[in-house]
Amino acid sequence: MGDAAGDSADAPRTLAQLNAYIRRATAARRAAPAPGEPADPHELASVRRFRQAWDRHRTIDQLQQAVARTPANAGPLNSHALVLRSLKRMGELSPDYLRRFMAQLETLHWLQRAAEQYPRERGAEAGKPAKGRRRK
């Protein structure tokens, strides 16, 4: 019975250790994401790491596809070749910066396509005076 009494005396200390471990694990899971990453407190750390790895892989894949489309007879001042060389160098120096830069380019490209698809209806009529009114 001495052992049972000793086990019950250690129970509060063991419970306190378990609670401390749970608090540390929860804090680690809610650790601040990398700069520029969305902060979702409910996102699992493994999901965040997978998303980051997927983004890195997608950026590298996009860059390789663009390099494959380089013009064969591109001169040293060909703008397409210069941009690709710059992106490749950026990826070597800072892959995270390249990933963010590519995300911004994709956003700008999406906005351009959206503007072309849905032109402003009032834009064509902005220069015309309203009917019934005369400019003086």
Side-chain angles (χ1 to χ4, degrees):
M1 279 195 195
D3 292 327
D7 289 340
S8 64
D10 290 338
R13 186 178 60 181
T14 305
L15 184 58
Q17 290 172 343
L18 178 62
N19 284 334
Y21 172 77
I22 291 171
R23 278 196 289 297
R24 284 192 308 270
T26 303
R29 188 184 69 174
R30 291 185 180 168
E37 294 293 326
D40 183 4
H42 301 293
E43 182 179 55
L44 296 174
S46 59
V47 172
R48 186 180 324 124
R49 286 191 306 268
F50 176 78
R51 183 175 32 79
Q52 290 169 348
W54 183 261
D55 286 345
R56 281 191 297 271
H57 175 71
R58 195 180 95 218
T59 301
I60 291 168
D61 190 45
Q62 287 175 330
L63 186 58
Q64 288 174 347
Q65 288 176 6
V67 168
R69 291 189 307 254
T70 302
N73 298 331
L77 297 179
N78 182 290
S79 60
H80 187 98
L82 287 173
V83 167
L84 290 176
R85 238 182 293 153
S86 299
L87 290 175
K88 190 173 180 181
R89 182 73 172 150
M90 189 186 302
E92 293 169 358
L93 294 174
S94 177
D96 287 335
Y97 186 84
L98 174 66
R99 184 177 50 80
R100 290 187 189 122
F101 183 76
M102 295 289 283
Q104 290 174 348
L105 286 178
E106 286 177 355
T107 302
L108 289 173
H109 185 252
W110 183 88
L111 288 171
Q112 182 181 12
R113 285 187 306 180
E116 291 169 357
Q117 188 175 7
Y118 304 106
R120 295 180 74 190
E121 293 177 12
R122 295 182 182 184
E125 299 174 3
K128 296 181 183 179
K131 291 183 180 181
R133 290 186 179 170
R134 291 189 181 175
R135 286 190 150 169
K136 294 182 181 182

